[in-house]
Amino acid sequence: MREALLYRQEGGGQVVCALCAHRCRIAEGKAGRCGVRVNRAGRLYSLADDRVVSAQIDPIEKKPLFHFLPGSRSLSIATVGCNFHCLNCQNHAISQWPREHPGEALPGQSLSPRQIVSLAQAQGCASISYTYTEPTVYFELALEVARLARQGGIANLFVTNGYMTAQALEEIHPYLDAANVDLKGFDDRRYRQLCGGSLQPVLDSIRRMRELGVWVEVTTLVIPGHNDSPEELREIARFLNGVGAEVPWHLSAFYPTYRLTDRPRTPVENLHQARRIGRDEGLRYVYVGNVPGDAGEDTYCYRCDTRLIDRWGFHIQQNLLQKGTCPTCEAKIDGVFYRDL
Ligand code: SF4
């Protein structure tokens, strides 16, 4: 446990956390919505700071990040806790652990930031991903690891719901190389119903990250009957195009999980239609996810349509890029394709 960053004290022993857009006002002895930040005697503490529940090596394509050091390994870490409560969370066992075990000590092992960076180096990882749950809620740990990782030549990646405040982003961005932001739809009411957060802060974070020079890719899980209307998908595509046509958009297939079991799996044809919408709206790179072997997993040159990176699931079968350039028409493909960090 350590004292939290980014909070202010208020009268009556209350504190207000400024890490994410919930801006929880927390009374003494209580925790914020994420369940891992608590008010003890008028000060805010992070309980998650040294409680790492996951530290495993993933292909970077699993984040998914397709335009950042493709084919590289990423040490992927998490603590329990999340500021969202998504009905379809795939990692609910850890993300919702504090809500489902109130008052219990958090699980996880005590790994120091130096140990985490050393592990990444020893395993030949090009990056550390802060993922599985929401990195914003274990911000102090992520920030310290990220600083050390940067010194050690390791990149830092957030896989995030984008709900952090501008202040949080201001603190972390000097060390943050890339992010995949989950954009769960474009309807604020349904956003709140699905995950307990609102839309606008997520849109703001996507814009802000881009402005701060972080490489950003966006994922939308296409849920039948929830966010899969052509109108809503078009709104998302237009927003992304306004941020930058080069922002890759990953359209992932939903399957029933956790508390969202009354919807069917996403038909592949719906993903293909969504991909067409994204491309029609001018996005250069639109991907289909969770459908291994689909041609929509591959990277194509936005100018001449040469297939540049051939993927099967998270694995790269062929990469024709030459220092980030299309071998056919010499277009510079957007992203970070080799180590020039
Ligand atoms: S990080 Fe946690 S405590 Fe802080 S505002 Fe978000 S949900 Fe509330």
Side-chain angles (χ1 to χ4, degrees), residues 218-251:
V218 169
T219 296
T220 300
L221 186 72
V222 179
I223 304 176
H226 173 74
N227 62 359
D228 65 340
S229 72
E231 296 74 27
E232 185 160 352
L233 292 165
R234 198 171 293 284
E235 281 188 282
I236 298 174
R238 284 184 179 158
F239 164 76
L240 293 179
N241 199 29
V243 175
E246 64 280 12
V247 174
W249 188 24
H250 300 264
L251 294 153

Side-chain angles (χ1 to χ4, degrees), residues 3 6 13-14 39 99 124 127 158 167 183 205 209 262 267 329:
E3 188 166 3
L6 298 179
Q14 294 189 97
N39 179 343
R99 279 165 80 90
S127 62
F158 263 29
Q167 297 103 298
L183 179 54
S205 289
M209 283 183 188
D262 61 346
C329 73

Side-chain angles (χ1 to χ4, degrees), residues 297-311:
E297 291 186 311
D298 299 335
T299 297
Y300 298 85
C301 176
Y302 66 89
R303 196 155 73 188
C304 72
D305 212 31
T306 295
R307 183 162 67 172
L308 298 168
I309 303 179
D310 177 1
R311 298 185 180 83

Side-chain angles (χ1 to χ4, degrees), residues 17-24 26 32-35 37 83 136-137:
C17 177
L19 256 192
C20 88
H22 287 311
R23 296 190 183 272
C24 298
I26 309 169
R33 282 190 190 212
C34 55
R37 307 176 73 74
N83 49 354
T136 307
V137 309

